[in-house]
Amino acid sequence: MSTDHPVRATVRALADHPQASVLIVGGGINGVGTFRDLALQGVDVALVERGDFCQGASGASSHMIHGGIRYLENGEFRLVHESVVERNRLLRIAPHYVKPLETTIPVFSTFSGLLNAPLRFFTHRSGKPQERGALLVKVGLSLYDAFSRRGGTVPRHRFVGRKRSLAELPALRADVKYTATYFDASVHDPERLTLDVLRDGLEAGSHARAANYVSLVGADDGGARLRDELTGEEFAFTADIVVNMTGAWVDNTNGALGSPSRFMGGTKGSHIVLDNPGLLAATGGREIFFEHSDGRIVLIYPIGDRVLVGTTDVDAGEDLEPVCTDAEIQYFFDLIRHVFPAVAVDRKDIVYTFSGVRPLPRHDDTAPGFVSRDYRIERSVFPGTDRPVLSVVGGKWTTFRALSEHVADDVLSLLGRGRSANTADLPIGGGRGYPVDRAGMETWVAGHTGPGADGQRVRTLLARYGTRAAEVLAFLAQGQDAPLQSTAELSVRELAWMAKHEHVAHVADVLVRRTSLAFRGLVTAELAHEVASHLAPCLGWDTHQIQHEAQAALSLLAQRHRAGTAISGVLQ
């Protein structure tokens, strides 16, 4: 591998100076958010991630930024309040990725669930599944509105009856009695938002270092032993404080450090992505959020010209790298028919599937749906030393900034330092100066259109990078560029930009996490090989490595995401 490989260079920066005040282990959104916060305080901080950034649970989310209305029935009022405040905040500071999401709940009864609700609230258990009727939904949404007032302009919910409901959403079950509509928010590209947060931290200065494809594999003489997953090389790294933010892997990481723990009890959540125009039209552009017949809260969510359906919630056990199963696909098709009985769905409509393990606390006999989505910080010490190890248990996408602030404050206290910067109102990356309306967007596009970048290309880049698209456009203009033959959404020099600035180590990093091409089912063998060929000069790959990287990406998509495989035939 070339010594100037950009990812290899980030690893070398750690190995050449193997110490820091803080070592964060885990490059999901919570680890990256904490890295950014500490970097902005001027703390000497390093972050390592064993795979790609946002590769684990952070990249397997439901793509929602929400307050968690269903957590109200668990009595988690603090979490809901924090979540809606953070939702409102992210709409302001990350407008390039976080967008308002109109959400509709179809309701099929008026009083159902009134007797079951106290059981759920006080015991976190439920008897025989009983759907929530209009009265319960109304109470819940009224509370949700009250929590949502702070710092936001999100409209209040509205309730309409059967006739209006079917006029607005004619494909709904004919026996629908009401629909309740409210607003939350969405993040179509969680991986890109994570990268933007990471870059904010790295741009704070040379005191902040981060590397993907570096795993923590053990402890030696009071320090961590890290392994470069691209080369297999290992090196020691010492820090005054270690922050374990590896999600469902927290216990495994602590075990590698020689300090076993039993904090985690994650649950598996799977989703499918469908290319089905009938289902897309049935949603009316809204997320349909409802209770399935088993009591599980599920969703049907239009994203562009695709529809996301999810999610399951079952104990993960020891399987921390799950895949979506046939049984889960059947479950998803059943829930679609539950609300849209006349919409035909078929396995051939599936373009992508994904699964992740939520980083939830060990919960023994508590049903998965009642396990708290809140977070806590466990403290221990690095074996043989008095240096602190902080393990973060739990956490959800919506609250990543608040969680990061909390962890950073704990770290600053341990270091005897005060906070010098606040992230509460600080725009994230490409959200700075992002157009607030369509007119502003067209003005921005017109101002950045030029030779080699027409209006459509600029719009694509603005959606992908936010206002950081200006830097990308400047880079593209500095040399000969051309769109890929397999897709107009990428160009030769944009791949060079990603390789140089976005920690790309594999073809799959581009197809799955730097773009939405895999998510939308647009990856072909030709595209994978073309991406590999154009990354090769940037990453020092020879002909053999080009073939290997392209095939590895296609195998990953087929085996872990059921994309490009012969999945056909109607489920009965």
Side-chain angles (χ1 to χ4, degrees):
M1 180 177 294
S2 172
T3 55
D4 61 354
H5 185 299
V7 172
R8 184 74 183 96
T10 63
V11 181
R12 180 53 54 195
L14 296 175
D16 287 348
H17 302 283
Q19 61 276 322
S21 295
V22 182
L23 172 64
I24 298 172
V25 187
I29 185 58
N30 289 323
V32 168
T34 303
F35 172 79
R36 173 186 187 246
D37 198 315
L38 288 172
L40 292 171
Q41 315 307 321
V43 172
D44 177 20
V45 58
L47 179 146
V48 294
E49 161 58 42
R50 71 187 186 99
D52 193 12
F53 299 115
C54 202
Q55 182 174 317
S58 294
S61 75
S62 295
H63 291 56
M64 293 172 61
I65 299 295
H66 66 117
I69 183 173
R70 72 182 186 85
Y71 306 146
L72 289 172
E73 68 181 14
N74 292 355
E76 296 188 86
F77 299 122
R78 191 211 70 80
L79 176 62
V80 174
H81 180 262
E82 179 180 75
S83 296
V84 294
V85 168
E86 290 300 308
R87 178 202 66 193
N88 293 344
R89 177 172 284 126
L90 287 172
L91 284 165
R92 297 194 307 273
I93 68 175
H96 52 323
Y97 295 131
V98 179
K99 311 288 185 181
L101 176 64
E102 187 176 16
T103 302
T104 291
I105 304 173
V107 183
F108 300 96
S109 68
T110 303
F111 301 107
S112 179
L114 288 177
L115 297 178
N116 216 18
L119 182 66
R120 287 195 295 261
F121 185 87
F122 289 110
T123 71
H124 289 188
R125 289 176 170 81
S126 62
K128 183 179 179 181
Q130 193 174 26
E131 68 177 329
R132 298 156 179 84
L135 185 57
L136 279 179
V137 173
K138 180 69 175 178
V139 169
L141 284 173
S142 296
L143 281 171
Y144 201 59
D145 282 346
F147 280 122
S148 297
R149 288 302 90 201
R150 180 182 169 187
T153 58
V154 177
R156 293 182 181 274
H157 79 273
R158 60 184 178 87
F159 242 89
V160 299
R162 177 179 180 274
K163 184 177 180 180
R164 177 78 177 273
S165 296
L166 290 174
E168 293 180 0
L169 297 167
L172 276 177
R173 264 171 49 188
D175 62 337
V176 67
K177 287 194 172 183
Y178 314 90
T179 53
T181 298
Y182 66 102
F183 277 84
D184 260 327
S186 66
V187 54
H188 286 191
D189 297 292
E191 299 90 349
R192 292 221 56 91
L193 178 52
T194 303
L195 282 173
D196 221 16
V197 173
L198 176 74
R199 189 170 173 195
D200 277 357
L202 290 170
E203 289 180 344
S206 60
H207 60 278
R209 295 170 289 162
N212 52 347
Y213 295 103
V214 175
S215 57
L216 188 151
V217 294
D220 287 321
D221 299 324
R225 189 168 73 253
L226 304 180
R227 181 171 64 214
D228 181 344
E229 293 295 335
L230 299 182
T231 66
E233 297 174 16
E234 295 186 6
F235 58 96
F237 195 95
T238 59
D240 298 326
I241 301 170
V242 174
V243 184
N244 180 356
M245 305 190 80
T246 53
W249 284 265
V250 158
D251 292 332
N252 293 2
T253 302
N254 284 336
L257 288 172
S259 181
S261 62
R262 286 174 52 83
F263 299 141
M264 307 306 298
T267 67
K268 174 190 178 185
S270 293
H271 302 75
I272 60 174
V273 182
L274 300 171
D275 180 5
N276 184 304
L279 182 60
L280 182 66
T283 67
R286 310 175 188 182
E287 176 193 36
I288 308 300
F289 190 65
F290 61 98
E291 181 179 12
H292 195 25
S293 54
D294 62 354
R296 168 81 187 137
I297 303 297
V298 293
L299 56 93
I300 302 171
Y301 169 20
I303 297 182
D305 59 358
R306 302 291 189 260
V307 182
L308 177 67
V309 182
T311 172
T312 52
D313 194 7
V314 296
D315 286 322
E318 299 301 315
D319 184 7
L320 299 185
E321 295 186 355
V323 297
C324 183
T325 65
D326 286 340
E328 287 174 308
I329 290 174
Q330 180 67 67
Y331 180 82
F332 294 139
F333 283 11
D334 289 344
L335 72 85
I336 292 169
R337 296 186 184 109
H338 182 74
V339 290
F340 297 126
V343 175
V345 288
D346 189 283
R347 283 202 177 195
K348 69 177 185 296
D349 300 330
I350 300 173
V351 297
Y352 192 71
T353 73
F354 59 95
S355 298
V357 179
R358 301 176 182 89
L360 303 182
R362 187 171 296 276
H363 49 271
D364 299 322
D365 294 332
T366 302
F370 292 112
V371 181
S372 174
R373 267 53 175 177
D374 212 339
Y375 57 87
R376 71 177 193 267
I377 302 169
E378 296 281 354
R379 295 195 184 191
S380 58
V381 296
F382 200 99
T385 76
D386 60 356
R387 296 198 297 272
V389 175
L390 306 183
S391 298
V392 178
V393 180
K396 58 197 291 283
W397 239 105
T398 306
T399 58
F400 83 85
R401 192 217 60 86
L403 182 153
S404 299
E405 183 179 72
H406 186 173
V407 176
D409 283 342
D410 281 9
V411 169
L412 290 170
S413 177
L414 289 168
L415 293 174
R417 299 179 54 159
R419 177 172 286 276
S420 59
N422 197 311
T423 63
D425 297 305
L426 184 66
I428 292 172
R432 297 181 185 92
Y434 189 78
V436 298
D437 54 29
R438 185 175 297 276
M441 187 166 297
E442 290 306 312
T443 299
W444 198 97
V445 169
H448 291 83
T449 299
D454 61 18
Q456 184 53 50
R457 179 68 171 139
V458 174
R459 289 185 188 90
T460 296
L461 295 175
L462 181 61
R464 185 171 292 152
Y465 299 97
T467 54
R468 277 185 166 146
E471 301 172 43
V472 181
L473 285 161
F475 180 85
L476 301 185
Q478 291 169 5
Q480 292 294 320
D481 195 20
L484 301 192
Q485 294 180 359
S486 305
T487 178
E489 294 187 25
L490 278 173
S491 71
V492 175
R493 282 189 63 80
E494 188 184 356
L495 286 173
W497 167 272
M498 289 179 175
K500 183 176 182 179
H501 296 285
E502 295 200 335
H503 309 268
V504 169
H506 299 293
V507 170
D509 297 341
V510 171
L511 300 178
V512 177
R513 287 172 291 278
R514 305 307 183 275
T515 70
S516 61
L517 290 165
F519 183 91
R520 290 180 289 145
L522 300 179
V523 175
T524 62
E526 292 77 14
L527 174 58
H529 283 87
E530 192 176 5
V531 168
S533 296
H534 289 299
L535 287 176
C538 308
L539 303 181
W541 294 343
D542 58 21
T543 302
H544 171 75
Q545 287 171 303
I546 291 172
Q547 292 297 116
H548 171 76
E549 280 290 337
Q551 190 55 51
L554 294 171
S555 296
L556 173 79
L557 289 174
Q559 294 168 13
R560 290 194 57 79
H561 300 290
R562 303 180 71 133
T565 59
I567 44 177
S568 61
V570 179
L571 280 176
Q572 301 299 324

